[in-house]
Amino acid sequence: MRITDLLTTETIELHLQASTKSEAIDELVQKLADAGKLADQTQFKEAILAREEQSTTGIGEGIAIPHAKTVAVKTPAIVFGRSNEGIDYEALDGQPSHLFFMIAASEGANNAHLETLSRLSSFLMDTDFRKKLETASSVDEVIEAINEKEDEENGEEEETSSSKGRILAVTACPTGIAHTFMAADSLKAKAKELGIDLKVETNGSSGVGNALTTDDIKDATAIIVAADTNVEMDRFNGKHVIQVPVAQGIHKPQELLEKASRQDAPVYQATESTQKNEEEGQGKEKSGFYKHIMSGVSNMLPFVVGGGILIALSFFFGIEAADPDHPSYHPIAEALSTIGGGSAFGLMIPVLAGFIAMSIASRPGLAPGMVGGFLASTGEAGFLGGLIAGFLAGYVVVGLKKLFSRLPQSLEGIKPVLLYPFFGILITGFVMLFIVIDPVVAINNVMESWLGGMGTGNLLLLGLILGGMMAVDMGGPINKAAFTFGIAMIDAGNYAPHAAVMAGGMVPPIGIALATTFFKKKFTKAEKDAGKTNYIMGASFITEGAIPFAAADPGRVIPSVIVGSAVAGALTMLFGIGLPAPHGGVFVFPFVNGSPLLYGLAVIIGAVVTALMLGFWKKDAKE
């Protein structure tokens, strides 16, 4: 599709009468309405103004590109307006705007429309092209200039290459139509001029274009993220990353590229360890499986943590105070329990399944995943049912995408709003109801009976294993596996495993803090200072506080923290501790099943074991 299929003679105005930004918007919207491109003129104008509130679309260089993607658009279109006098459009460079392109994209616009609209935005970065538009004496000359530019651009190479080291960039704006591609082209043009090898990923309305691969990121000198909306950042773990608004990608490409070439940027630290796993050589399928689970778990955790702590707070009024039929009943306890248990915990499994499916199949997987997770939750299939629902829904939608790929291009817009959700929810729901739920409920019942019937020796072994797992990689896949198992057991009504999990997670930072306090010669001044903060991190169940010490001396630190955490986990089982709250550290100790003092003692003993091992093994530090 060509730009002039969307920008026609009836949507060009070479003599705008407007003198203000508001008047310019009104005049351009009216031009679209007169051409029959809008289903609702008022609603479209509201969408344009809402986009302006996010950030001005007066991009500078005499250009403004107001745009919106909304159901108020009947037919995707572009209107061009020109003001010889110039209009104050609150442009980023403070200069008046002379050239106006208002872009109207429909909610169900297909990829061809969106790519065409985006291509125009990138053309406007060419000074010669803008000059032709400024001096065109007729509507036909405008059309001719656009067609010539489009013919000129066809077939040109997207990327440059050199021996200076590759720079990567990601561009994105809230609408994903104009600024995204203008920033990309501005960076590419300047990179070509400077002889810099550059690859740019665009996060546009039609999806991710020219996506960065794992190998691209691994070999990159630095990454520029010019975005006004969220982009996937964890993949850049350990790389120098420059993060700026998308407008800087348009107006300051040389400054950004030169900083990237010098690696004049902080090293990005990811919140998840999926990228690290891939770099360490795990198979593609395995790292993908882990990535999908962690996507579900990380998005589920706020519900688990918030809900769990609210439930724990309800225990302030008595263990049974949330029960209206119990003598200790208190309405605040019931409210806290309802919010935390009935609502936040009720959403836990649907959110887990929804985001697993979304990780597999992108946004179309979310709805089928959440519905499958909800069926698992209400059907008492528990955490395991949620995991199955997430993967089921994700791969069902992947299959639907392949199946519907043969449909005509004209139906592209209805796939995400009709076909994927309808068939995805239908298939996932039927499989969950008639195939998955009953067997999973039976498995859960067997597991609960097995855990409930464990003797003391078996419980000690389970606590030993779970506690030790929390210290193996401190936030990595083994740690998360133990934590996830603990949450699943809370959901099943068995609180003992998670007590071992939290004790094991608290020991590494507390044990290291004790070692820096009592074996000062073994640590540098910086490590001793960091050790003080580890008291707080350990008490708050933030195991990651131990990571810098483990990275600096893994051969001594990791075995020490594993042994200490394993001892603490086993002791919690020996002392008969149960933990109904999934997070909170010492702040939820008063609410454990069993003795809070014995629970604290288990953690302290484990931390002392770690500290003594470090004091014995580590050599004196050299500043």
Side-chain angles (χ1 to χ4, degrees):
M1 177 177 285
R2 297 181 67 86
I3 291 171
T4 48
D5 292 332
L6 302 175
L7 175 65
T8 61
T9 55
E10 60 185 345
T11 57
I12 295 177
E13 177 56 67
L14 296 181
H15 304 287
L16 288 175
Q17 302 301 308
S19 59
T20 66
K21 178 177 180 176
S22 177
E23 291 174 356
I25 289 174
D26 286 340
E27 195 170 345
L28 294 168
V29 170
Q30 188 62 52
K31 193 74 174 177
L32 284 169
D34 292 343
K37 306 297 184 182
L38 303 179
D40 188 322
Q41 183 175 345
T42 301
Q43 187 178 352
F44 176 73
K45 180 182 174 183
E46 289 174 354
I48 288 287
L49 295 175
R51 174 61 186 87
E52 292 296 325
E53 288 178 2
Q54 293 177 329
S55 62
T56 181
T57 58
I59 62 171
E61 306 292 343
I63 306 166
I65 312 181
H67 54 275
K69 182 179 178 183
T70 168
V71 293
V73 175
K74 183 191 300 182
T75 307
I78 305 169
V79 59
F80 170 61
R82 188 177 69 187
S83 169
N84 293 329
E85 294 78 16
I87 297 170
D88 181 3
Y89 203 85
E90 302 172 3
L92 294 171
D93 60 1
Q95 299 301 310
S97 298
H98 296 272
L99 303 179
F100 298 84
F101 284 90
M102 180 172 281
I103 298 174
S106 60
E107 190 66 41
N110 60 37
N111 286 354
H113 284 136
L114 295 170
E115 288 167 2
T116 304
L117 294 168
S118 303
R119 195 160 62 249
L120 169 65
S121 303
S122 65
F123 288 177
L124 291 171
M125 300 312 298
D126 186 328
T127 304
D128 293 337
F129 175 62
R130 296 201 304 269
K131 193 69 176 176
K132 288 182 180 180
L133 297 180
E134 291 169 355
T135 58
S137 59
S138 67
V139 169
D140 289 338
E141 283 188 28
V142 172
I143 298 292
E144 182 181 350
I146 293 171
N147 283 332
E148 284 180 0
K149 178 63 176 174
E150 196 154 22
D151 292 338
E152 175 189 324
E153 292 290 321
N154 283 339
E156 284 196 359
E157 184 63 38
E158 286 285 324
E159 299 174 24
T160 62
S161 61
S162 75
S163 59
K164 295 184 178 180
R166 166 166 275 203
I167 305 297
L168 304 180
V170 180
T171 61
C173 70
T175 310
I177 296 176
H179 293 64
T180 298
F181 298 91
M182 297 180 75
D185 278 5
S186 178
L187 287 164
K188 285 188 285 188
K190 185 57 67 174
K192 186 175 181 179
E193 178 185 323
L194 299 174
I196 292 175
D197 186 0
L198 175 72
K199 179 175 179 179
V200 185
E201 172 185 293
T202 53
N203 286 212
S205 286
S206 57
V208 174
N210 205 30
L212 304 180
T213 67
T214 302
D215 288 340
D216 289 331
I217 296 167
K218 181 179 179 181
D219 298 334
T221 300
I223 296 105
I224 300 166
V225 178
D228 290 337
T229 187
N230 291 333
V231 300
E232 184 186 346
M233 293 295 296
D234 281 358
R235 54 188 165 151
F236 303 140
N237 185 44
K239 307 298 290 188
H240 294 274
V241 178
I242 301 170
Q243 292 182 264
V244 295
V246 70
Q248 289 197 29
I250 298 172
H251 297 292
K252 298 181 179 180
Q254 183 167 342
E255 177 183 325
L256 294 175
L257 289 165
E258 289 177 346
K259 286 181 68 175
S261 296
R262 298 191 304 268
Q263 294 189 321
D264 182 12
V267 174
Y268 185 80
Q269 300 295 327
T271 56
E272 298 291 346
S273 57
T274 54
Q275 187 69 24
K276 179 180 176 183
N277 291 340
E278 292 175 8
E279 290 173 357
E280 289 176 350
Q282 294 188 16
K284 182 177 180 181
E285 183 177 349
K286 183 175 180 182
S287 63
F289 179 81
Y290 174 73
K291 171 189 172 184
H292 303 323
I293 290 181
M294 284 303 100
S295 176
V297 170
S298 62
N299 283 285
M300 175 192 72
L301 281 181
F303 296 89
V304 175
V305 174
I309 293 175
L310 286 170
I311 294 171
L313 288 175
S314 73
F315 298 155
F316 265 124
F317 301 90
I319 296 299
E320 304 292 339
D323 182 0
D325 298 326
H326 196 273
S328 65
Y329 169 73
H330 195 288
I332 299 298
E334 182 185 17
L336 290 169
S337 181
T338 300
I339 296 168
S343 299
F345 261 38
L347 287 169
M348 177 178 74
I349 292 174
V351 168
L352 170 74
F355 279 92
I356 287 174
M358 187 173 174
S359 177
I360 295 168
S362 193
R363 192 174 299 277
L366 180 63
M370 291 199 72
V371 171
F374 183 76
L375 290 171
S377 179
T378 55
E380 299 185 356
F383 199 84
L384 178 58
L387 288 174
I388 294 172
F391 282 98
L392 170 66
Y395 288 114
V396 163
V397 173
V398 168
L400 291 172
K401 287 183 176 181
K402 292 180 179 178
L403 178 65
F404 294 141
S405 64
R406 301 182 180 90
L407 292 178
Q409 185 73 20
S410 59
L411 297 178
E412 190 74 24
I414 71 168
K415 291 180 185 178
V417 297
L418 174 61
L419 299 182
Y420 297 150
F422 172 70
F423 286 104
I425 291 172
L426 177 69
I427 295 169
T428 302
F430 265 81
V431 173
M432 289 297 297
L433 283 174
F434 296 110
I435 299 176
V436 173
I437 289 179
D438 287 345
V440 171
V441 169
I443 292 171
N444 284 339
N445 289 337
V446 169
M447 183 179 291
E448 288 177 41
S449 298
W450 174 65
L451 287 171
M454 270 189 167
T456 302
N458 289 333
L459 284 172
L460 285 175
L461 179 60
L462 179 62
L464 191 83
I465 293 170
L466 290 174
M469 286 174 70
M470 290 298 291
V472 171
D473 52 1
M474 291 164 283
I478 297 175
N479 170 285
K480 286 292 193 297
F483 185 78
T484 301
F485 177 77
I487 292 173
M489 290 300 97
I490 289 178
D491 184 54
N494 189 319
Y495 302 141
H498 202 69
V501 166
M502 192 165 83
M506 294 173 68
V507 162
I510 295 176
I512 288 171
L514 289 172
T516 60
T517 300
F518 295 104
F519 302 101
K520 297 181 182 294
K521 293 182 179 180
K522 307 288 184 177
F523 299 92
T524 66
K525 184 178 184 303
E527 287 174 331
K528 284 181 282 191
D529 290 340
K532 297 172 185 175
T533 64
N534 266 7
Y535 281 114
I536 298 172
M537 297 183 79
S540 303
F541 185 33
I542 303 174
T543 315
E544 287 82 355
I547 289 177
F549 295 87
D553 189 5
R556 296 179 179 87
V557 172
I558 292 178
S560 300
V561 296
I562 290 174
V563 172
S565 292
V567 168
L571 287 174
T572 63
M573 292 294 191
L574 180 65
F575 296 154
I577 308 298
L579 180 65
H583 211 288
V586 296
F587 303 103
V588 295
F589 274 25
F591 314 119
V592 300
N593 295 348
S595 169
L597 293 177
L598 287 178
Y599 192 29
L601 181 63
V603 173
I604 292 170
I605 292 173
V608 169
V609 169
T610 291
L612 291 173
M613 289 180 68
L614 287 173
F616 176 76
W617 270 357
K618 281 184 70 69
K619 298 178 181 178
D620 289 350
K622 295 180 180 180
E623 294 288 349

